[in-house]
């Protein structure tokens, strides 16, 4: 996810322990040297991730006040952060210690060489990730090229969310969706992919749905996808700058079908932004395009803070803290590590998902392949081409 206009905070307190053990009793989490004095950490979220991890991060400060005296949280629009960070690094005045990001800013940072290399350089200071991650999360970790660590994961989409009282004939294929959009102009929309998890997932999922030549090559392998998006764009009034406006438009009735994901389906209905009655569908040839959030450390962070940040990463990857990531369905399911069940989550998470979750998701996840997003350089190319060829035709 990208847009964090819809998010959820206050959870019940949970265990703040940072030690994880394999069945053998061998520690899988690193023991790092304690700083000479507690540090203040500045955490910037460009992915809405704090809805999933802020309580767990605060648990760290409570458990280790002699490591972190204060943690300052802030948010920034995803497209703006790389330039800001690059300017700070060029001036040798970095004041951001940890970035919580999706694949968009992760990719931009890899492209611009903004991140500290964590793997293999700091492998000994981190958990053995291959031992603890769910299989798709482990594959998502590979996209980080060693410059970020997965903290949350979900299969994502692309799904389509709609108002059943206004959409009587639900499209079953991409061609039917296009025909519906033409017959109902200005009633379908998605947000700019560079700043929207659903928009980005839709962009990367279409090549599979349409049977394009190479779903991993947006420059030379997406002929059908770019043609489809151009034609679909003729029916779209505008591309919002984030996901939240599309959800509000669906809830208020100015849009009838929008692009969604598991989390963007569940959480806005929990919060009442979208009616509980809203439904979702997937089209023929659908495959999941996985998504994840990453912890990235900018180059220029002091050595004493680096040790604390690595210790914090160990903490956030323990099952007790991962249980918070169920949230109220915002990144459903959410946990990146094995063995974290909904029963371990706070009661309000369990209640929200029991009421607003969809049993059909378990079958969709079981029955359809889970593909990785584009590699960093390809994702940058896809965003650039969409902005130039699709988004530029409308106000974004």
């Amino acid at each position: 996810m990208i847009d964090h206009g819809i998010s959820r905070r206050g959870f019940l307190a949970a265990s703040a322990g940072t030690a994880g053990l394999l069945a053998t009793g061998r520690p899988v989490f690193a023991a790092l040297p304690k700083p000479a004095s507690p540090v203040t950490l500045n955490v910037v979220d460009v992915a809405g991730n704090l809805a999933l991890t802020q309580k767990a991060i605060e648990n760290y400060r409570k458990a280790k006040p002699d490591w972190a005296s204060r943690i300052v949280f802030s948010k920034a629009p995803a497209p703006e952060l790389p330039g800001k960070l690059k300017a700070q690094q060029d001036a040798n005045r970095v004041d951001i210690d940890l970035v919580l990001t999706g694949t968009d800013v992760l990719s931009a940072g890899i492209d611009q060489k903004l991140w500290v290399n964590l793997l293999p350089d700091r492998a000994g200071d981190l958990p053995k990730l291959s031992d603890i991650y769910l299989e798709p999360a482990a594959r998502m970790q590979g996209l980080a090229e060693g410059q970020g660590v997965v903290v949350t994961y979900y299969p994502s989409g692309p799904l389509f969310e709609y108002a059943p009282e206004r959409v009587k004939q639900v499209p079953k294929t991409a061609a039917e969706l296009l025909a519906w959009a033409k017959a109902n102009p200005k009633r379908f929309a998605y947000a700019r992919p560079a700043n929207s998890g659903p928009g980005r997932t839709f962009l990367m999922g279409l090549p599979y749905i349409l049977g394009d030549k190479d779903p991993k090559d947006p420059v030379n392998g997406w002929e059908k996808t770019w043609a489809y998006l151009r034609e679909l764009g003729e029916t779209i009034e505008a591309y919002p700058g984030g996901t939240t406006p599309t959800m509000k438009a669906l809830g208020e009735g100015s849009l009838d079908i929008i692009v969604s994901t598991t989390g963007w389906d569940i959480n806005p209905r929990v919060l009442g932004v979208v009616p509980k009655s809203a439904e979702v569908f997937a089209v023929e040839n659908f495959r999941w395009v996985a998504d994840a959030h990453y912890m990235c450390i900018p180059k220029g962070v002091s050595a004493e803070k680096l040790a604390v940040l690595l210790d914090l990463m160990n903490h956030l990857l323990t099952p007790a803290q991962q249980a918070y990531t169920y949230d109220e369905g915002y990144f459903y399911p959410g946990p990146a590590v094995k063995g974290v069940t909904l029963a371990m989550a706070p009661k309000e998470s369990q209640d929200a998902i029991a009421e607003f979750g969809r049993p059909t998701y378990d079958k969709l996840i079981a029955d359809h392949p889970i593909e990785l997003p584009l590699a960093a350089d390809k994702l940058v190319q896809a965003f650039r081409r969409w902005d130039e060829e699709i988004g530029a035709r409308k106000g974004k």
Side-chain angles (χ1 to χ4, degrees):
M1 286 197 174
I2 302 294
D3 190 302
H4 44 256
I6 296 176
S7 61
R8 175 63 178 74
R9 298 294 181 269
F11 278 133
L12 303 173
S15 166
T18 59
L21 296 175
L22 289 173
T24 60
R26 179 173 66 86
V28 296
F29 295 95
L32 284 133
K34 179 180 171 181
S37 58
V39 302
T40 295
L41 297 179
N42 291 301
V43 178
V44 176
D45 175 19
V46 295
N49 180 262
L50 287 174
L52 314 175
T53 61
Q54 183 167 343
K55 187 63 181 180
I57 295 172
E58 290 171 342
N59 284 344
Y60 177 80
R61 182 187 57 79
K62 292 173 185 174
K64 291 194 166 183
D66 48 348
W67 287 62
S69 58
R70 184 171 177 238
I71 300 178
V72 179
F73 300 101
S74 61
K75 300 174 185 176
E80 295 176 11
L81 186 77
K84 178 180 180 180
L85 200 48
K86 184 71 165 62
Q88 289 187 5
Q89 291 172 341
D90 288 346
N92 200 27
R93 296 181 62 181
V94 174
D95 64 8
I96 297 170
D97 301 312
L98 181 68
V99 176
L100 301 171
T101 178
T103 54
D104 51 356
V105 173
L106 168 74
S107 299
I110 292 171
D111 187 54
Q112 298 178 44
K113 300 179 171 53
L114 303 180
W115 311 126
V116 170
N117 197 69
L118 298 172
L119 299 167
D121 298 20
R122 295 283 179 168
D125 295 328
L126 290 165
K128 189 173 181 184
L129 300 179
S130 60
D131 284 351
I132 67 169
Y133 278 149
L134 296 166
E135 188 275 333
R139 285 193 282 139
M140 291 297 294
Q141 178 59 40
L143 292 179
E145 298 181 21
Q147 295 177 52
V149 173
V150 169
V151 65
T152 48
Y153 152 79
Y154 82 135
S156 192
L159 302 172
F160 300 92
E161 193 162 354
Y162 69 99
E165 69 276 11
R166 301 194 297 273
V167 179
K168 301 302 183 182
Q169 192 74 23
V170 178
K172 294 183 174 61
T173 66
E176 288 182 9
L177 177 64
L178 180 59
W180 184 93
K182 288 180 176 181
N184 299 273
K186 302 181 182 179
R187 306 301 296 176
F188 169 83
Y190 63 98
R192 180 189 178 208
N195 199 37
S196 167
R200 182 177 71 241
T201 304
F202 177 52
L203 180 65
M204 293 186 289
L206 265 180
Y208 296 102
I209 292 168
L210 298 174
D212 244 326
K213 184 173 68 175
D214 186 354
K216 297 297 188 185
D217 185 354
V219 175
N220 300 308
W222 286 16
E223 183 178 351
K224 295 177 182 178
T225 295
W226 295 120
Y228 184 91
L229 290 171
R230 281 191 292 271
E231 195 170 354
L232 185 63
E234 297 302 318
T235 74
I236 294 173
E237 185 171 23
Y239 300 103
T243 312
T244 299
T246 67
M247 294 290 159
K248 289 180 177 177
L250 180 66
E252 294 165 357
S254 55
L255 290 174
D256 296 335
I257 301 179
I258 60 173
V259 174
S260 193
T261 63
T262 59
W264 276 103
D265 162 41
I266 296 171
N267 190 247
R269 289 188 298 117
V270 172
L271 299 177
V273 175
V274 173
K276 185 179 180 180
S277 60
E279 294 288 349
V280 295
F281 66 90
V283 296
E284 189 178 290
N285 298 325
F286 161 77
R287 295 186 180 202
W288 296 101
V289 178
D291 201 0
H293 289 157
Y294 298 81
M295 303 175 282
C296 297
I297 301 174
K299 290 179 180 177
V301 168
S302 68
E304 63 175 358
K305 284 190 175 184
L306 182 59
V308 178
L309 290 164
L310 291 164
D311 194 56
L312 172 61
M313 289 182 178
N314 279 268
H315 165 85
L316 292 176
L317 291 173
T318 59
Q321 305 308 317
Q322 283 278 302
Y324 284 103
T325 66
Y326 279 100
D327 182 58
E328 290 182 331
Y330 177 64
F331 210 67
Y332 182 80
V337 307
K338 300 173 186 174
V340 183
T341 66
L342 182 59
M344 298 166 63
K347 184 178 184 300
E348 57 197 89
S349 294
Q350 297 181 42
D351 290 348
I353 292 169
E355 182 174 358
F356 293 93
R358 299 188 192 274
T360 54
Y361 283 153
D362 291 339
K363 181 170 173 54
L364 270 177
I365 292 169
D367 291 351
H368 295 269
I370 299 175
E371 302 289 348
L372 290 186
L374 295 175
D377 59 334
K378 300 296 185 183
L379 186 58
V380 171
Q381 291 172 358
F383 286 160
R384 184 180 298 124
R385 186 163 178 181
W386 187 92
D387 284 344
E388 292 173 354
E389 297 184 18
I390 310 299
R393 296 182 173 209
K394 312 275 180 184
K396 295 190 286 293

